[in-house]
Amino acid sequence: MARTPLDLDELVEHWTLLKDEQALVSGKRGATRLGFAVLLKFYTQYGRFPRGRAELAGEAVEFIARQVQVPASELGFYDWTGRTVEYHRAQIREHLGFRECSVADAEKLTAYLAEHVAHKERRPEQVRVELLARCRTESIEPPTAGRCDRIVGAALRAAEESLTALISSRLTVESVERIVALVAGGVDQDDAGPGGGGTEGEDAPPVLAKVKEAPGNVSLETMLTEIDKLLAVRAIGLPRDLFIDVAPKVVAGWRARAAVESPSHLRTHPVPLRVTLLAALLHEREREITDTLVELLISTVHRIGARAERKVTEQLINAFKKVSGKENILFKLAEASLGTPEGTVRQVVFPAVSGGEATLRELVHEFKTRGPVYRRTVQTTLKASYTNHYRRGLIRLLDVLEFRSSNHTHRPVIEALALVARYASAGNTTYYPLGETVPVHKAMGGDWAEVVHRTDKRGRRRVVRMVYEVVAFQALRDQLKCKEIWVVGADKWRNPDEDLPSDFEARRAENYRELR
């Protein structure tokens, strides 16, 4: 990639010899004078010496050459190896207060990176950036590229060992046994193929393979399958705060490793690392499956309503005939009625409308099919569709998902769901018991008001249980979509207060850098 030429401002800022630097250069002559000055300014800017002539910008060399009054071409005669350049480097280090990286320095740098960087950042290239920055802060000349790689690798390993030991220590003996059992097995199919390779998951035990599977299309069967997955993950017994103090990107890295490694490869890891990788996979999959279930709930409730409207429309379409010119009909009726107020409807009103009595009957029918009667028919059909098919899955969701709201305005919906769950197995009970408190929320008004409430045989106004369940799920869907209600253990549908990391203010600069 072509290098961007240096402009005058950059040359003046970074490549101008200061008074004390001019004093160091003054005792030297010719190529030695120019070479020393170039090394000095390069080290001042980058905290290290150039690896060769190719790293030096031509504009910078020309700029320094004019200051030391030596032709830039003389740099070609400077010896980059030998005693002279080593002596120059020692002079520059002493002048700037830097030192070469000793064995003790390397150990300290490794410990620093392991404790403060590699616990949160697992990308070697980013850890290397932090290593060079730390060297600059500690006035240590960066080691060679190979030695930097070894320091970074050692820091990453040390951080991983301490983190995996911490994570595995938080698990109970029973949980560790269940996790290890996920990849336990005899001869693996992937070990039988050429080179020990195999298709992802082909030798995986049923539970692990099941947890890794992607969800299917929106359907009751998919919902029940995802519920079973979630229960299988929860059966492992992972603490909810297992990764509370571990950076999300680190957990994501572990999850990715566990997802692509076969069980036979996972078994080769030390137990703490094996347990941590699988725990990260289970932890992340639990959040993903929870999100999937919330999305299935939203889609299913929408589908119930859409199908009910389509079904009722198809039933009424043959009987429906749109009447045009309603405004003219109303005007003619009013004019005829006012003109002959003493006449009968059949003599005065019917003749005033084109089509007579038949047109007026069609107009009344249109209102009934498109007005409140139509809406009640849709609601009745929706209730039947929910009761006969979808109810089983949606009721099970109430058992596995925990809904909460930070806004007291939406508490009635949460309480309504609790009531629905409490009476989910009440058999053929039509109404909620008279002494039961039925939470009232906004979704119960409007078109639903007449359907939710019904007068029983004794003339008492009661709440119809199945209709109330439908309305509760519709209200839940609406509040989930605007995140007024959130789900414990979810990622996308989590508490909005958790959208910012807990250390956002403490690590404000780093977080804004991540956000770019």
Side-chain angles (χ1 to χ4, degrees), residues 7-20:
D7 58 31
L8 182 60
D9 289 339
E10 291 176 295
L11 292 171
V12 171
E13 180 179 358
H14 300 295
W15 298 95
T16 300
L17 289 169
L18 305 179
K19 285 188 177 180
D20 56 341

Side-chain angles (χ1 to χ4, degrees), residues 63 91 142 173-174 181 269 350-351 408 454 490:
F63 188 73
Q91 272 189 295
V173 175
E174 293 78 11
H269 296 311
F350 286 175
H408 291 291
R454 189 188 303 170

Side-chain angles (χ1 to χ4, degrees), residues 294-319:
V294 175
E295 287 158 6
L296 284 171
L297 185 153
I298 292 172
S299 300
T300 299
V301 173
H302 171 75
R303 174 174 290 190
I304 295 172
R307 284 187 172 182
E309 292 211 10
R310 186 166 63 249
K311 185 175 181 180
V312 172
T313 300
E314 289 171 356
Q315 291 173 348
L316 298 176
I317 194 68
N318 294 328

Side-chain angles (χ1 to χ4, degrees), residues 85-289:
V85 72
E86 290 299 327
Y87 174 65
H88 287 176
R89 288 178 175 178
Q91 272 189 295
I92 292 171
R93 290 191 196 102
E94 182 180 359
H95 173 73
L96 296 175
F98 276 70
R99 65 182 184 277
E100 292 187 87
C101 184
S102 64
V103 174
D105 288 329
E107 292 176 350
K108 289 180 180 179
L109 289 170
T110 301
Y112 171 82
L113 293 174
E115 182 179 354
H116 297 96
V117 179
H119 271 76
K120 297 180 179 179
E121 179 57 72
R122 303 298 297 169
R123 292 173 295 178
E125 63 275 13
Q126 291 300 115
V127 179
R128 185 188 180 90
V129 170
E130 296 294 334
L131 167 62
L132 297 179
R134 184 66 179 178
C135 286
R136 190 70 179 261
T137 302
E138 296 292 322
S139 299
I140 299 173
E141 184 178 323
T144 61
R147 197 177 181 194
C148 280
D149 291 340
R150 290 192 292 276
I151 292 174
V152 169
L156 288 170
R157 285 192 299 274
E160 185 172 81
E161 288 174 3
S162 64
L163 274 176
T164 55
L166 175 65
I167 297 300
S168 59
S169 69
R170 291 174 176 174
L171 296 168
T172 63
V173 175
E174 293 78 11
S175 295
V176 171
E177 290 175 351
R178 295 189 193 107
I179 292 173
V180 171
L182 292 175
V183 292
V187 178
D188 293 327
Q189 294 178 15
D190 66 332
D191 293 332
T199 304
E200 161 62 21
E202 67 185 9
D203 64 331
V207 174
L208 188 58
K210 181 179 182 179
V211 169
K212 288 182 179 181
E213 286 177 354
N217 297 326
V218 178
S219 67
L220 175 61
E221 188 62 34
T222 298
M223 185 183 295
L224 296 175
T225 300
E226 293 300 305
I227 289 174
D228 289 341
K229 282 186 197 177
L230 184 60
L231 294 176
V233 173
R234 289 179 177 175
I236 302 297
L238 297 181
R240 184 162 288 176
D241 58 351
L242 181 61
F243 298 101
I244 188 67
D245 52 357
V246 181
K249 64 176 67 176
V250 175
V251 180
W254 286 335
R255 179 236 196 270
R257 285 178 62 183
V260 299
E261 291 187 12
S262 66
S264 60
H265 291 159
L266 287 166
R267 288 197 294 271
T268 63
H269 296 311
V271 173
L273 176 58
R274 189 191 325 166
V275 168
T276 299
L277 292 179
L278 288 168
L281 173 63
L282 295 170
H283 172 78
E284 293 293 286
R285 284 297 293 142
E286 182 177 3
R287 291 157 63 88
E288 292 165 2
I289 294 169

Side-chain angles (χ1 to χ4, degrees), residues 16 18 51 69 88 122 151 160 171 174 220 227 266 320 331 346 359 383 391 393 443 466 488 491 500 506:
T16 300
L18 305 179
R51 299 183 182 92
Q69 298 178 350
H88 287 176
R122 303 298 297 169
I151 292 174
E160 185 172 81
L171 296 168
E174 293 78 11
L220 175 61
I227 289 174
L266 287 166
F320 172 72
F331 170 74
R346 190 171 297 278
T359 300
K383 168 185 169 288
R391 182 176 185 270
M466 288 301 172
V488 176
D491 181 26
L500 284 180

Side-chain angles (χ1 to χ4, degrees), residues 364-419:
V364 171
H365 181 70
E366 178 181 338
F367 172 75
K368 288 183 177 180
T369 56
R370 300 300 295 174
V373 174
Y374 173 81
R375 292 308 312 163
R376 283 197 293 273
T377 307
V378 170
Q379 291 158 358
T380 304
T381 307
L382 188 154
K383 168 185 169 288
S385 178
Y386 162 78
T387 305
N388 297 332
H389 184 68
Y390 293 104
R391 182 176 185 270
R392 183 160 58 102
L394 292 174
I395 290 296
R396 283 199 68 190
L397 281 181
L398 297 183
D399 293 332
V400 297
L401 298 182
E402 184 179 350
F403 300 98
R404 293 186 184 176
S405 178
S406 303
N407 190 336
H408 291 291
T409 305
H410 305 288
R411 284 297 306 170
V413 177
I414 304 293
E415 294 167 358
L417 296 174
L419 177 65

